[in-house]
Amino acid sequence: MHIIPVRLTKGRGHAYDVVVGPGLLEELPARLAGLGGGGDLFLITDATVNRLYGRALAAACERTGVRTLLLEVPAGEGSKNADLVFRLQTELLTHGVHRGSLVVALGGGVVGDLAGFTAATVLRGVPFVQVPTTLLAQVDSSVGGKVGIDHPSGKNLIGAFCQPRAVFIDPRFLASLSERQFRNGLAEVVKIASALDASFFAFLRSRAHRLVRTNVRLLEHIIARSVALKGAVVERDEFERDLRRSLNLGHTIGHALEAASGYRLQHGEAVSVGMAAEAGFAVRLGLMTRGEQRRLCALLVALGLPVRFPGVRDRARFLAALALDKKGVAGKARFVLPAGIGVCALGVEVPREMIEQLLDGA
Ligand SMILES: NC(=O)c1ccc[n+]([C@@H]2O[C@H](COP(=O)([O-])OP(=O)(O)OC[C@H]3O[C@@H](n4cnc5c(N)ncnc54)[C@H](O)[C@@H]3O)[C@@H](O)[C@H]2O)c1
Ligand SMILES: [Zn+2]
């Protein structure tokens, strides 16, 4: 069992623990009962996770004597919308939510963002706990306190910074995840290592062939290390003024690709291609050697992730997503670029020609 404290001093000033270990699922009812302030437990989950774990967990919580309301939302990104937040808030209010209640987000990043935002806004904030069940959510979205929903004009545009009371991560949840979802999460692990820690990167290279959904011990280690690295960044820059931007490595190109592909490409896949493309920029700008770029791409490929930049039909949408103007006047996009392995450079201006060449496949 790993316990990783996240201590925030500048924001609301509280600290919380991220607990990582196989077997946590069984301990959850007791741990949740210990965290609540005597009120009810509101367990929010999606349809898939509910079927797999939600109902059983709710029943186990009830057995500890805590009244538990199980709230299910449809699975998928489409659930991150304002109507659903309102519906969840209404359920919570109807059932007498108060500041001694505890909202539990059981699921992937979608449930974490949605339930977290609901908890952050109802009664101006009730305590919530993250129980992430996808690798992406375990290594990335559940830690750091960003919660929110999508808006018709873009993803994650409505939200708040609101830290959870605790995060409980059981790597055994990953056994039921699809292979594609699992690899998506691995892209974020590589991102964290490439941006922040060369020795973690070397560790991943040496274990790539053993990184499968059921290798619980290895996963526990990798999740704990990712969380510790991300947590340390969040402690120093909770509101993403500077350092936290390093966690956007691969995401500038990645987000633009996701948008231009009409979200056919999954997030982790787009981030993987984004990291490879941004490493290409870094080499040309003299920030990274070709050898380092090759090592980064080789690790992504070894983990089953794509690195080739695909043809982009909707160039305008891609460039718009990079905040480059559509009329051909020289626009400027600022990137987080790798500056070697385990280090990155923030706010680097990439010349527009380089981006055009990427789109031309040059
Ligand atoms: N808040 C942040 O800091 C932050 C960071 C990164 C990403 N995000 C957000 O996270 C979301 C993506 O998260 P995600 O990739 O976890 O997607 P997701 O929550 O949609 O989960 C992916 C799919 O896996 C299923 N699933 C979840 N756990 C499972 C399990 N253990 N076994 C079987 N199936 C399971 C879900 O039902 C869903 O269909 C995006 O909305 C993104 O914006 C937020
Ligand atoms: Zn991401």
Side-chain angles (χ1 to χ4, degrees):
M1 194 83 72
H2 293 73
I3 300 175
I4 303 138
V6 179
R7 291 194 187 84
L8 298 154
T9 48
K10 293 211 182 88
R12 298 237 176 113
H14 75 274
Y16 60 96
D17 285 340
V18 182
V19 188
V20 186
L24 263 181
L25 176 58
E26 286 72 19
E27 293 178 19
L28 269 178
R31 284 179 179 264
L32 294 173
L35 274 174
D40 295 351
L41 213 67
F42 294 92
L43 185 55
I44 303 180
T45 189
D46 74 21
T48 307
V49 179
N50 196 14
R51 189 169 35 79
L52 291 164
Y53 311 103
R55 286 179 202 134
L57 178 60
C61 290
E62 285 274 358
R63 283 197 294 276
T64 65
V66 179
R67 216 161 62 140
T68 305
L69 187 73
L70 183 58
L71 297 167
E72 180 188 298
V73 300
E77 184 71 26
S79 282
K80 278 174 58 174
N81 70 70
D83 286 344
L84 211 41
V85 171
F86 189 72
R87 264 180 44 204
L88 289 170
Q89 288 167 334
T90 305
E91 288 280 1
L92 265 59
L93 292 168
T94 308
H95 289 89
V97 69
H98 57 84
R99 298 231 167 86
S101 313
L102 193 64
V103 171
V104 180
L106 172 74
V110 165
V111 166
D113 283 9
L114 172 71
F117 187 63
T118 304
T121 45
V122 77
L123 303 180
R124 294 196 180 86
V126 297
F128 79 103
V129 166
Q130 295 269 17
V131 183
T133 60
T134 64
L135 183 58
L136 180 140
Q138 295 187 342
V139 298
D140 198 349
S141 62
S142 65
V143 179
K146 279 196 203 172
V147 294
I149 53 171
D150 300 331
H151 185 270
S153 47
K155 275 186 68 175
N156 295 324
L157 293 182
I158 310 295
F161 286 97
C162 185
Q163 302 293 339
R165 278 298 152 93
V167 184
F168 296 116
I169 304 179
D170 190 333
R172 289 184 320 176
F173 280 125
L174 305 179
S176 56
L177 207 58
S178 76
E179 193 55 41
R180 193 172 178 198
Q181 280 298 336
F182 179 68
R183 282 197 298 270
N184 262 294
L186 288 177
E188 303 288 4
V189 174
V190 175
K191 170 198 79 176
I192 290 170
S194 314
L196 302 171
D197 187 345
S199 70
F200 185 32
F201 185 91
F203 178 84
L204 291 173
R205 279 182 79 197
S206 68
R207 303 293 197 286
H209 58 293
R210 286 168 43 196
L211 245 175
V212 291
R213 282 172 299 163
T214 45
N215 191 343
V216 172
R217 284 284 156 215
L218 180 58
L219 285 169
E220 179 186 2
H221 177 83
I222 281 170
I223 294 163
R225 193 127 174 215
S226 301
V227 168
L229 285 163
K230 178 163 182 183
V233 167
V234 171
E235 281 178 350
R236 288 168 61 193
D237 179 25
E238 181 178 359
F239 301 111
E240 198 168 329
R241 301 219 162 87
D242 40 57
L243 187 65
R244 190 164 176 176
R245 292 203 197 124
S246 53
L247 296 169
N248 288 334
L249 189 70
H251 281 63
T252 310
I253 292 289
H255 282 150
L257 257 183
E258 273 185 287
S261 79
Y263 296 95
R264 272 189 301 281
L265 215 55
Q266 289 198 349
H267 178 72
E269 295 162 350
V271 168
S272 177
V273 173
M275 279 191 281
E278 290 172 11
F281 296 154
V283 169
R284 292 173 68 184
L285 293 170
L287 290 166
M288 190 183 205
T289 66
R290 279 206 184 282
E292 288 165 337
Q293 178 198 22
R294 269 197 294 273
R295 287 216 304 277
L296 172 58
C297 291
L299 176 59
L300 292 167
V301 170
L303 295 174
L305 286 158
V307 290
R308 257 180 72 94
F309 194 81
V312 170
R313 243 182 285 152
D314 194 344
R315 277 175 94 106
R317 191 150 176 214
F318 184 89
L319 293 171
L322 288 181
L324 292 172
D325 75 68
K326 294 176 201 153
K327 301 179 208 83
V329 181
K332 285 178 183 141
R334 290 194 173 271
F335 284 77
V336 178
L337 291 186
I341 301 278
V343 200
C344 50
L346 305 180
V348 184
E349 234 175 67
V350 173
R352 189 182 174 116
E353 312 81 74
M354 254 188 220
I355 295 162
E356 298 278 3
Q357 283 162 6
L358 177 72
L359 286 166
D360 292 339

